[in-house]
Amino acid sequence: MSKQRRRFEAAEKVKIIREHLLDKRPLSEVCEQYGIAPTQFYQWQKQFFEQGAAVFEPKKITVSKEYVLENQVKQLNKKLTRKDEVIAELVEHNIDLKKKHGQD
């Protein structure tokens, strides 16, 4: 008979670690209550302490790829609009010059 693998959410893992470390419950009781092996507990505890420093580090602002692409599209549209305006001015100026010199 094989046991079905259980998955614990991050908050559950922290709760289990907390019960042993802060509430001073014996590890054997905690593991028995939650149906985990002591080695599993120690793996979670190791992860918890290794990655705990990240909580106190300043948050990095992550810019999504989608946001960057949207800004690029806006900038390119502005350039395209400006280019069209310049071309329209040049064409108008060219037409005026042709009329002025009698070339229709």
Side-chain angles (χ1 to χ4, degrees):
M1 177 190 257
S2 65
K3 285 186 177 181
Q4 187 174 0
R5 191 169 210 149
R6 291 181 55 195
R7 295 207 178 262
F8 291 88
E9 298 292 321
E12 291 175 303
K13 292 176 184 179
V14 171
K15 178 185 173 205
I16 293 168
I17 293 168
R18 181 187 181 96
E19 282 186 33
H20 174 65
L21 296 177
L22 296 180
D23 299 342
K24 307 287 186 201
R25 287 193 55 214
L27 182 60
S28 58
E29 281 183 22
V30 173
C31 289
E32 188 176 324
Q33 178 184 349
Y34 294 100
I36 61 171
T39 54
Q40 182 67 65
F41 175 88
Y42 287 122
Q43 285 177 350
W44 291 348
Q45 180 178 286
K46 181 179 180 227
Q47 261 187 314
F48 182 74
F49 285 116
E50 286 176 350
Q51 297 174 3
V55 172
F56 299 107
E57 291 178 3
K59 300 280 187 224
K60 293 180 182 175
I61 299 174
T62 55
V63 178
S64 71
K65 197 173 189 177
E66 194 173 293
Y67 178 78
V68 171
L69 290 175
E70 285 176 9
N71 279 341
Q72 284 179 335
V73 168
K74 286 179 186 177
Q75 289 174 353
L76 290 172
N77 280 334
K78 284 181 184 177
K79 284 183 179 182
L80 188 59
T81 301
R82 179 65 185 138
K83 178 195 68 101
D84 289 344
E85 290 170 356
V86 169
I87 290 173
E89 283 180 36
L90 291 172
V91 167
E92 186 179 339
H93 183 68
N94 192 20
I95 291 171
D96 288 344
L97 286 174
K98 282 185 175 182
K99 286 181 181 176
K100 193 176 200 180
H101 294 314
Q103 300 172 353
D104 277 334

